[in-house]
Amino acid sequence: MLRSLVGSEMCIRDSLYKGHTATVRSISLSPNGQFLATGCDDHLIRIFEVQTGRLIKRYDLGGPIQQVIFNPAPSLNILVASVEYSIVFIVPTFANHQIVNDRSLHFLRATQNIEASEKPTGPVAGLVSAQGGGIVQTAIDADEAAYDPSRDLDDVEEKEKRADFIDATPRERAAGVVLKVNVHAKAKRLTFHNKGDYLCALCPKDHVKYRQTIMLQLSKRKVFCPFRKFSEVVTDCKFHPKEPLFFLSTTNSVRCYNLLAHKLQKKYKAYGGITTCLTVHPDGDNFLVGDTTNHTIWYDCDFSDKPYKRMKSHHGVVNAVEYHRNTDAYPLFASGASDGQVHVFHGMVYDDYTKNALIVPVKILRHSRPVYDVAWHPSLPWVFTSTEDGTVCCWTE
């Protein structure tokens, strides 16, 4: 495996997904790996077909997109975006079968029919330019600007309300937006539980500290803040893939909470700078943290509360770290930083607890501008990167 990755065929920049005019802060792939969603400071979400690079749909949400993320459950077709003071739920009907779309609407308790309102544009819909290859202006959806921006919750009138579920207007429904959740502060990070029912949103600039971490149970439209006595500033969070554990990174530590026992299970020390990003290994026994001192830090949950290995390979702030989802076939992880580089590593975790994880550098992918997000294809050794100049790249073997 490692030999094939180190060879000359590794990491050819296969595709460029263009169109954005500002920093692309977030990218996400659908559970089947067929579609790529990008969120940008130009207020647009674009959805591309991965294999062909064609623009299928775009949404104008009226503000900078902080993050986009697909629901990881294969039985659901839901795209979630954080923009200003809202969390927006979209059902891109072209991305899956009608049965899955109906199930997604029922899951969000938004069962009104939107089936005929969202159709693929551009070459998919048969609208091409005179040259026969590009997308013309008339091929872009008229529903692009249907979203109506929401204001933040009023801190005086609704001080005790953590978040507010709001059904989309008929115009928004026609564009595919089915639900909005308004919060008190700008949601910077979103993360799903593997089963797709729970969503956690981080609002680090909320002056009420316990409202920095908001959890939503989508099927029942419940909102709760799990940490009532919390004073630190949060930076990222992830659910454990197999157990009822929740990892929360703050400026100087990573906390692991047991959600069933309602207690702090373990606190991991973060040395040096402020933590910026977090990702958990699919097996759940290891996790990675990036920080402002250019380090990518590997923690072994069974080893110690101190880092197993600190890798200073970047020359800028580490903005993104990500494991490949299928580590049995591709034991890989990547880190992207403001120095314009993405470092790909081989990270083998053994079932034998007497063996430590094996970490080997594989490749450096170079960009001309800072890298803001990294994502792996769910079933192939392809890595996607987004940069400050609005370009999203696909690197293949």
Side-chain angles (χ1 to χ4, degrees):
M1 170 65 196
L2 182 59
R3 191 183 307 114
S4 66
L5 291 175
V6 177
S8 59
E9 296 297 323
M10 169 58 181
C11 291
I12 300 171
R13 191 166 64 179
D14 182 70
S15 299
L16 289 177
Y17 303 91
K18 296 182 178 180
H20 287 295
T21 57
T23 301
V24 180
R25 296 195 177 273
S26 179
I27 54 178
S28 179
L29 284 105
S30 59
N32 59 10
Q34 186 177 356
F35 297 98
L36 171 70
T38 62
C40 183
D41 282 355
D42 63 4
H43 305 181
L44 292 177
I45 294 176
R46 292 173 182 262
I47 300 180
F48 298 91
E49 193 174 31
V50 170
Q51 293 283 356
T52 63
R54 292 182 296 185
L55 174 65
I56 306 298
K57 181 86 172 177
R58 73 183 189 187
Y59 304 89
D60 187 346
L61 299 189
I65 313 298
Q66 297 297 329
Q67 187 170 359
V68 291
I69 182 171
F70 276 100
N71 191 307
S75 60
L76 297 173
N77 178 29
I78 301 172
L79 176 66
V80 184
S82 61
V83 50
E84 295 294 333
Y85 299 98
S86 295
I87 302 169
V88 183
F89 294 80
I90 300 170
V91 176
T93 54
F94 58 85
N96 219 315
H97 194 275
Q98 187 60 40
I99 296 176
V100 178
N101 297 332
D102 292 341
R103 176 182 172 84
S104 302
L105 292 172
H106 181 75
F107 177 80
L108 292 174
R109 301 171 73 178
T111 55
Q112 288 89 335
N113 186 20
I114 62 169
E115 59 182 1
S117 59
E118 186 175 12
K119 299 179 181 179
T121 57
V124 177
L127 296 174
V128 298
S129 64
Q131 289 75 25
I135 300 176
V136 297
Q137 185 62 34
T138 55
I140 300 299
D141 277 341
D143 300 327
E144 175 193 333
Y147 175 76
D148 182 22
S150 302
R151 63 178 182 87
D152 60 320
L153 291 178
D154 187 271
D155 284 328
V156 176
E157 297 178 1
E158 305 183 28
K159 182 170 60 176
E160 291 301 318
K161 185 178 288 188
R162 282 79 168 173
D164 189 18
F165 283 84
I166 299 176
D167 288 315
T169 63
R171 185 164 176 256
E172 290 172 333
R173 282 184 167 279
V177 177
V178 297
L179 180 66
K180 297 184 290 185
V181 178
N182 288 353
V183 292
H184 285 272
K186 295 181 181 180
K188 295 290 186 180
R189 296 278 188 174
L190 303 173
T191 187
F192 266 108
H193 187 271
N194 273 1
K195 293 185 179 180
D197 191 12
Y198 287 92
L199 173 71
C200 183
L202 293 188
C203 307
K205 292 188 177 182
D206 197 321
H207 65 275
V208 181
K209 294 299 182 183
Y210 73 84
R211 282 198 317 234
Q212 290 185 97
T213 307
I214 300 174
M215 287 194 182
L216 310 173
Q217 186 178 6
L218 303 181
S219 60
K220 297 182 179 179
R221 292 199 177 186
K222 288 185 177 180
V223 182
F224 55 97
C225 298
F227 313 116
R228 295 291 297 182
K229 297 179 180 179
F230 196 80
S231 59
E232 297 186 46
V233 177
V234 296
T235 57
D236 204 352
C237 63
K238 287 290 185 294
F239 287 96
H240 192 284
K242 298 179 180 179
E243 299 178 13
L245 301 177
F246 182 72
F247 293 87
L248 183 68
S249 67
T250 64
T251 53
N252 57 8
S253 65
V254 178
R255 297 164 176 255
C256 179
Y257 290 92
N258 189 316
L259 296 178
L260 287 182
H262 303 283
K263 68 176 184 179
L264 176 65
Q265 181 159 304
K266 198 168 185 178
K267 184 177 179 180
Y268 300 89
K269 300 176 182 178
Y271 296 92
I274 299 172
T275 61
T276 56
C277 50
L278 168 72
T279 186
V280 180
H281 192 276
D283 291 337
D285 293 332
N286 300 267
F287 63 90
L288 287 170
V289 172
D291 67 14
T292 56
T293 60
N294 316 338
H295 286 89
T296 303
I297 309 170
W298 180 297
Y299 287 85
D300 188 332
C301 297
D302 301 321
F303 179 71
S304 170
D305 61 346
K306 298 179 181 179
Y308 165 64
K309 184 162 289 190
R310 298 180 75 219
M311 297 162 280
K312 188 174 182 179
S313 51
H314 289 285
H315 300 285
V317 176
V318 179
N319 293 321
V321 288
E322 191 69 28
Y323 285 105
H324 195 285
R325 298 183 199 175
N326 187 7
T327 52
D328 292 334
Y330 306 109
L332 301 170
F333 68 91
S335 61
S338 58
D339 60 359
Q341 296 183 0
V342 175
H343 293 187
V344 181
F345 292 85
H346 174 93
M348 175 65 75
V349 175
Y350 299 97
D351 294 332
D352 186 354
Y353 286 101
T354 62
K355 286 187 177 181
N356 292 327
L358 174 65
I359 303 173
V360 180
V362 174
K363 193 75 174 179
I364 297 178
L365 313 177
R366 303 182 188 277
H367 301 76
S368 59
R369 304 300 294 270
V371 177
Y372 277 84
D373 201 7
V374 174
W376 289 96
H377 191 281
S379 57
L380 295 172
W382 296 359
V383 63
F384 296 79
T385 59
S386 67
T387 57
E388 191 179 57
D389 59 358
T391 302
V392 177
C393 303
C394 173
W395 304 80
T396 64
E397 62 177 349

